[in-house]
Amino acid sequence: MDQFVVSARKYRPQSFDDVVGQQVITDTLLNAIKNNHLAQALLFTGPRGVGKTTCARILARKINQPNYDDPNEDFSFNVFELDAASNNSVDDIRSLIDQVRIPPQQGKFKVYIIDEVHMLSQAAFNAFLKTLEEPPKHIIFILATTEKHKIIPTILSRCQIFDFKRIVPNDAKNYLEKIAKYQDISYEEDALAIIAQKADGAMRDALSIFDRVVSFCGNNLTREAVSENLNVLDYDTYLKVTDLILNNNIPNLLLEFDSILSKGFDGHHFIAGLASHFRNLLVCKNEKTGILLEVSDKAKEQFITQSQKADETFLIKAIATANDCDLKYKSSQNQRLLVELTLMQLASITFDGEKKK
């Protein structure tokens, strides 16, 4: 049996064109190489799993082979990766500085990629300063970190800083669609949208979740199966709960909440999701803000239909009420009662005693 390779490694981008959601940064780096305007010290910063180390590796290969892109030629003898989490002492940096003086035997540059650079000790940072400011002509330093605020200002001032952004759910979903098609996996668009939302801006997390749900569902990813596997409340639940609230149906509303708890969902997770659902309904009411709704086209139609049943005043008050419950949840002695009381308050916002006896 062949060893399984996780998708995050198997589909790691091999060129800047393949990098997801970082178009501005990849274009800047390509132009810098083309115009011979690349700084010798670069700092890649941003959340986990968005492509910092990947871009560093692609850049390292690209500057050593400017005229062509061969994914199989990685110039590994010219690229040195250092994990600052386990090599954070002054001696480690001094050893690196000694190596830096030796020019490359083949190719144009030696590239040092220092990952998690914020883990270096204060003394190691200070030992690194002079070399980082005036490196030999054949050296490029690429520093990568998730915590830029922990790096001392004297290091930051010597680097050209690139801020990597979180991957928006739509970009993550589109990339997952490509991989699903490549693997001959049938899927529902909503299923991939749930995975993209769950990944919270990290492409690596999205690919890890994708592997997990494929193991669970096989070659057919459905919204129900993905929701069950990831233990997330899908939008159908919130659409149903909101309909009960708009109809002032408190008994069935409490029964629905009990059903949600019996499935193992957390009340805090539910109420936070309900506040987000009201927010989504609010943005649906205006064409300009409709682009802020990050769901599939099929789901968007359902959101728009429900948003027409609720006026803006109700939605704003509902968001504030649900958000207030979210803030009080952790300190509450009776958390279930707090959520039930909030649901009753929500169902009473539009209650008319004369009409609904």
Side-chain angles (χ1 to χ4, degrees):
M1 184 172 123
D2 292 336
Q3 185 178 6
F4 173 70
V5 180
V6 295
S7 294
R9 286 179 56 198
K10 188 175 182 181
Y11 301 105
R12 183 188 284 271
Q14 296 298 319
S15 71
F16 283 132
D17 292 337
D18 300 330
V19 177
V20 180
Q22 308 296 348
Q23 186 76 35
V24 173
I25 289 175
T26 55
D27 285 351
T28 304
L29 292 173
L30 281 170
N31 287 334
I33 296 168
K34 182 180 176 182
N35 299 322
N36 196 23
H37 206 259
L38 189 69
Q40 284 190 267
L42 308 171
L43 175 66
F44 291 175
T45 176
R48 70 184 192 282
V50 295
K52 299 184 298 296
T53 306
T54 295
C55 282
R57 289 176 180 175
I58 294 170
L59 179 63
R61 188 176 73 241
K62 189 84 177 169
I63 58 179
N64 276 307
Q65 48 172 40
N67 298 322
Y68 68 100
D69 264 326
D70 180 5
N72 299 315
E73 175 58 271
D74 59 3
F75 284 86
S76 56
F77 42 79
N78 276 7
V79 181
F80 303 87
E81 289 196 39
L82 183 74
D83 177 24
S86 54
N87 299 277
N88 57 6
S89 68
V90 176
D91 289 338
D92 292 318
I93 293 300
R94 283 177 180 160
S95 174
L96 183 146
I97 291 169
D98 289 338
Q99 294 174 34
V100 159
R101 295 171 186 158
I102 305 167
Q105 301 302 306
Q106 190 174 345
K108 194 175 179 183
F109 292 100
K110 285 172 76 173
V111 182
Y112 286 84
I113 300 171
I114 306 178
D115 220 346
E116 303 300 337
V117 72
H118 65 273
M119 300 288 281
L120 288 178
S121 65
Q122 182 76 27
F125 271 133
N126 290 332
F128 194 31
L129 281 175
K130 189 65 179 173
T131 306
L132 193 65
E133 185 174 23
E134 297 178 0
K137 290 182 179 180
H138 57 267
I139 293 297
I140 301 279
F141 286 113
I142 305 176
L143 316 181
T145 180
T146 52
E147 302 185 53
K148 185 173 76 170
H149 61 278
K150 291 187 178 179
I151 299 175
I152 60 175
T154 45
I155 290 285
L156 293 176
S157 66
R158 287 163 167 79
C159 296
Q160 196 172 85
I161 300 173
F162 292 85
D163 286 298
F164 283 68
K165 61 182 181 180
R166 293 169 71 252
I167 310 295
V168 297
N170 199 44
D171 286 345
K173 180 175 73 71
N174 290 340
Y175 192 66
L176 290 174
E177 284 180 359
K178 288 182 185 177
I179 291 173
K181 287 173 183 174
Y182 183 79
Q183 294 185 1
D184 289 328
I185 294 171
S186 60
Y187 59 87
E188 288 181 7
E189 197 175 337
D190 285 338
L192 298 184
I194 290 170
I195 296 172
Q197 290 281 358
K198 184 80 172 175
D200 194 28
M203 196 66 236
R204 184 170 61 228
D205 288 3
L207 291 168
S208 298
I209 295 169
F210 178 78
D211 284 344
R212 182 173 130 198
V213 297
V214 168
S215 297
F216 176 74
C217 304
N219 287 340
N220 184 24
L221 301 185
T222 63
R223 178 167 57 84
E224 293 79 8
V226 170
S227 298
E228 180 186 350
N229 182 253
L230 298 182
N231 200 33
V232 297
L233 283 165
D234 65 5
Y235 60 81
D236 270 350
T237 303
Y238 290 118
L239 288 168
K240 184 178 180 182
V241 167
T242 304
D243 277 335
L244 292 171
I245 289 170
L246 291 171
N247 291 324
N248 314 110
N249 192 337
I250 290 176
N252 284 340
L253 191 56
L254 296 179
L255 289 172
E256 181 64 24
F257 178 55
D258 179 69
S259 173
I260 289 166
L261 291 179
S262 68
K263 292 174 184 173
F265 292 105
D266 178 49
H268 197 185
H269 174 67
F270 165 74
I271 203 69
L274 187 60
S276 296
H277 180 74
F278 290 141
R279 174 262 184 193
N280 289 339
L281 294 179
L282 187 62
V283 300
C284 279
K285 294 187 78 67
N286 189 303
E287 287 184 10
K288 291 181 181 177
T289 55
I291 58 171
L292 300 175
L293 185 64
E294 295 172 338
V295 295
S296 67
D297 292 338
K298 178 185 172 185
K300 195 168 188 174
E301 289 175 13
Q302 293 176 269
F303 275 83
I304 291 170
T305 302
Q306 189 171 74
S307 71
Q308 290 167 354
K309 300 176 187 175
D311 60 40
E312 286 187 18
T313 307
F314 164 78
L315 289 173
I316 292 169
K317 194 167 182 181
I319 292 169
T321 305
N323 192 54
D324 187 52
C325 176
D326 183 15
L327 295 172
K328 293 177 180 175
Y329 189 88
K330 284 188 178 178
S331 60
S332 174
Q333 294 296 314
N334 191 336
Q335 295 173 334
R336 174 169 182 156
L337 180 61
L338 175 67
V339 177
E340 288 178 337
L341 178 62
T342 301
L343 291 172
M344 288 187 276
Q345 288 172 336
L346 289 168
S348 302
I349 292 174
T350 58
F351 184 75
D352 186 337
E354 294 296 317
K355 289 166 63 180
K356 305 270 185 186
K357 280 185 178 176

